[in-house]
């Protein structure tokens, strides 16, 4: 079972202005298209409660899992399992990949657990000056650049493997 992080970043490295800021307004149509295609390939996505609530619905064509306590969402699996336990459970259900879709706390939790294999980072030609980082605490990881791809006129997709 493989897990990958998929995120859009501003050119100055932020994933959002604040916890309620949705990526729907500032990311390019090319980023959105890549996100949909890549997460549909994975067939299952996981995100935190804040990220889910800014989107407000499950992703069509993908099994959606949300980290939350004492909450139920229609058409969504809610979990509190640790990343390793969640991946084991998904493997038993014959899923092959998990797309980790944010926010910062969830990205951090999966990186700290050592289960992330790949990062797909879309860099958008936007500046926030300040905002939310990809991770919400210090992470010590080495990455290997696999590929770069231009999406549209000004958006770049970076693919990295995590070096173990």
């Amino acid at each position: 079972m493989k897990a990958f992080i998929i995120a859009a970043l501003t050119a100055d490295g932020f994933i959002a202005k604040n916890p309620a800021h949705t990526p729907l307004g500032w990311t390019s149509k090319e980023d959105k298209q890549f996100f949909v295609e890549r997460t549909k390939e994975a067939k299952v996505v996981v995100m935190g409660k804040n990220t889910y609530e800014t989107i407000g619905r499950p992703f069509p064509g993908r099994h959606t899992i949300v980290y939350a306590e004492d909450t139920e969402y229609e058409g969504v699996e809610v979990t509190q399992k640790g990343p390793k336990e969640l991946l084991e459970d998904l493997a038993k259900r014959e899923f092959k990949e998990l797309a980790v879709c944010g926010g910062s706390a969830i990205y951090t939790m999966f990186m700290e657990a050592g289960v992330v294999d790949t990062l797909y980072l879309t860099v958008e030609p936007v500046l926030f000056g300040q905002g939310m980082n990809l991770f919400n605490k210090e992470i010590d990881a080495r990455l290997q650049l696999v590929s770069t791809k231009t999406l549209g006129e000004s958006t770049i997709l970076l693919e990295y493997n995590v070096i173990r």
Side-chain angles (χ1 to χ4, degrees):
M1 179 83 192
K2 295 198 177 265
F4 63 85
I5 284 175
I6 188 165
L9 304 168
T10 62
D12 52 351
F14 299 107
I15 61 170
K17 290 181 179 179
N18 57 57
H21 186 222
T22 176
L24 301 177
W26 67 270
T27 60
S28 64
K29 68 177 190 218
E30 293 85 4
D31 170 67
K32 291 175 183 69
Q33 181 179 351
F34 174 76
F35 181 90
V36 169
E37 289 171 3
R38 188 65 190 91
T39 58
K40 279 188 174 180
E41 285 174 21
K43 296 183 175 61
V44 61
V45 299
V46 66
M47 66 194 74
K49 180 179 179 178
N50 287 344
T51 301
Y52 180 76
E53 289 182 354
T54 61
I55 296 163
R57 60 181 168 74
F59 292 131
R62 289 147 284 185
H63 182 71
T64 302
I65 301 172
V66 176
Y67 274 93
E69 293 182 26
D70 303 325
T71 306
E72 288 187 29
Y73 300 108
E74 188 175 325
V76 170
E77 177 181 341
V78 174
T79 191
Q80 296 170 4
K81 295 176 182 172
K84 289 180 181 177
E85 184 184 1
L86 179 62
L87 287 171
E88 289 168 4
D89 178 53
L90 290 170
K92 288 176 188 171
R93 292 191 261 168
E94 300 187 5
F95 287 107
K96 305 285 186 236
E97 283 188 304
L98 174 65
V100 182
C101 300
S104 296
I106 303 303
Y107 291 140
T108 302
M109 181 172 64
F110 276 80
M111 282 298 290
E112 286 184 325
V115 298
V116 175
D117 300 290
T118 304
L119 287 84
Y120 295 101
L121 304 176
T122 303
V123 181
E124 293 284 1
V126 175
L127 299 172
F128 289 165
Q130 60 184 0
M132 295 183 63
N133 293 315
L134 185 63
F135 302 108
N136 67 0
K137 58 172 107 163
E138 189 173 310
I139 295 288
D140 186 19
R142 305 282 299 158
L143 306 175
Q144 178 182 16
L145 182 64
V146 174
S147 69
T148 61
K149 182 179 179 182
T150 302
L151 302 178
E153 291 182 26
S154 301
T155 302
I156 298 171
L157 173 64
L158 303 170
E159 179 183 352
Y160 290 100
N161 283 341
V162 177
I163 298 172
R164 299 203 198 283

